[in-house]
Amino acid sequence: MNDDRVEKIANAVLYEGYMLYPYRSSAVKNQQRFNFGVLYPREYCDAQIGSDAWEMQTECLVTGYAATPLEIKVRFLRLLAKNGFQEGVERTVRTPACSLRALVAQPLRQNFQFDGVEGELELRSKCLDDSCFKVTLIVRNLTGLGSAGHKDRDEVLLRSLLSVHSILHIEGGAFISSIDPPEQFRAAVAECRNIGTWPVLAGEESQRETVLSAPIILYDYPQIAPESAGDLFDGTEIDEILALRILTLTDAEKEEVRNGDDRARRILERTEMLPPEYFQRLHGALRGLRSNSEGPHEESL
């Protein structure tokens, strides 16, 4: 499970909404976290009226044999209080490679603990026929609230898992697209239940060994645009607009960014070093054309 293309997309998911322009900790929009895929402590969710979740579930189909090995990597951000703001630290939980047969007979339960947060992975499979299995992955936040109480959201976030997503990898088998499955698998795919996450095929197009299950909706085989100079974390904007806005920050604002979050500081430093010709490449690029029943269709611009 070492595909650079998958890792780049997974990193973009991990930091989506982590800190928004103007990247100052004092900015109103950065006073409340905007991350997708947040799993709060169960005690907090039970006391709230709303959609806050303490677990997420991925279900997808895979073709293979009983002995085909499956492994999972779950990633999230753990927030730590630092100098008056909350800084994200990357955390990863891996499962051992388990055969599809073993996961039918005995689901895997794996606990994890990082810096005061606790969680659990549950992985199981169900045999649908001789060569098709339904895989289910559940990620849970088992952290207690402690003295945080139910109303202090900043304290609760310090006990939460942020930007939770998972990478599923199979050796000697193939995942079935959840977006555009072959006709013979459509009924079974429709019965898959995904909660708080969206599984898509990832990696090189036509390869089906890896699925990225993310808390934001993606298409199969998502890619990072080659024109992008690096992460910006802000999904509501595009690179050109954000880069130009960053350059208009005042000296005082830039100084606050430099003294704040390390990742925000790197964005500022990278943007200030961009050559003029970089901006010429950000007006859009035609990736290609494909035909469908409604006529030509432009790929991403």
Side-chain angles (χ1 to χ4, degrees):
M1 199 191 302
N2 186 26
D3 189 305
D4 288 341
R5 181 171 297 190
V6 176
E7 290 293 331
K8 287 180 180 178
I9 290 293
N11 283 335
V13 170
L14 185 66
Y15 286 102
E16 184 67 27
Y18 172 72
M19 179 169 281
L20 308 181
Y21 172 86
Y23 302 113
R24 294 182 287 104
S25 300
S26 63
V28 174
K29 64 171 68 175
N30 287 320
Q31 294 298 303
Q32 182 164 328
R33 284 287 174 181
F34 187 68
N35 296 76
F36 296 93
V38 179
L39 295 184
Y40 299 91
R42 182 175 185 176
E43 184 182 351
Y44 174 78
C45 296
D46 289 345
Q48 303 300 307
I49 299 176
S51 58
D52 293 331
W54 65 281
E55 65 177 4
M56 65 168 48
Q57 175 175 296
T58 297
E59 282 193 339
C60 55
L61 300 188
V62 61
T63 57
Y65 301 97
T68 299
L70 170 70
E71 58 181 323
I72 308 293
K73 179 163 64 174
V74 174
R75 305 172 73 225
F76 59 89
L77 289 179
R78 165 79 172 96
L79 291 183
L80 300 176
K82 179 181 178 182
N83 298 328
F85 60 93
Q86 296 174 334
E87 182 173 309
V89 179
E90 298 177 19
R91 296 299 183 219
T92 302
V93 183
R94 300 173 185 267
T95 68
C98 301
S99 72
L100 294 173
R101 178 200 295 120
L103 292 171
V104 171
Q106 181 64 52
L108 172 70
R109 285 182 178 269
Q110 181 172 325
N111 292 330
F112 60 86
Q113 183 173 0
F114 294 105
D115 312 310
V117 296
E118 301 177 32
E120 176 189 63
L121 308 183
E122 180 181 341
L123 179 64
R124 61 178 184 266
S125 68
K126 178 181 180 181
C127 183
L128 302 183
D129 62 34
D130 290 341
S131 61
C132 183
F133 296 79
K134 178 165 71 174
V135 172
T136 302
L137 170 67
I138 303 174
V139 184
R140 300 185 177 98
N141 184 355
L142 303 181
T143 311
L145 277 180
S147 60
H150 297 87
K151 296 183 180 180
D152 189 336
R153 186 175 182 275
D154 285 342
E155 287 295 320
V156 171
L157 283 174
L158 295 177
R159 292 166 170 79
S160 302
L161 318 179
L162 279 70
S163 301
V164 182
H165 62 282
S166 55
I167 301 172
L168 297 75
H169 185 77
I170 198 87
E171 287 289 344
F175 286 100
I176 302 299
S177 171
S178 297
I179 299 173
D180 187 22
E183 181 64 35
Q184 67 268 33
F185 296 111
R186 287 185 181 177
V189 166
E191 293 180 359
C192 290
R193 189 164 180 247
N194 289 282
I195 304 172
T197 190
W198 184 264
V200 297
L201 299 175
E204 296 287 341
E205 265 196 71
S206 78
Q207 293 182 344
R208 295 195 290 142
E209 295 88 0
T210 305
V211 156
L212 171 63
S213 189
I216 56 178
I217 295 176
L218 300 170
Y219 293 101
D220 284 335
Y221 306 111
Q223 300 179 38
I224 300 294
E227 292 81 9
S228 178
D231 295 328
L232 290 167
F233 309 152
D234 195 331
T236 64
E237 299 286 2
I238 60 176
D239 286 32
E240 182 180 19
I241 293 174
L242 275 177
L244 291 172
R245 285 182 173 179
I246 290 168
L247 294 177
T248 66
L249 293 174
T250 66
D251 290 342
E253 289 175 320
K254 290 180 180 179
E255 187 64 19
E256 182 181 346
V257 173
R258 291 190 180 95
N259 294 328
D261 188 275
D262 286 342
R263 296 180 184 89
R265 174 181 53 78
R266 290 196 290 270
I267 288 175
L268 173 62
E269 293 175 348
R270 184 185 69 228
T271 303
E272 290 183 316
M273 295 177 62
L274 291 174
E277 56 268 24
Y278 167 78
F279 294 91
Q280 298 299 317
R281 301 198 300 268
L282 294 181
H283 292 299
L286 186 64
R287 303 290 180 215
L289 297 172
R290 70 168 184 261
S291 297
N292 58 27
S293 58
E294 299 177 355
H297 172 80
E298 291 187 359
E299 294 283 358
S300 60
L301 291 175

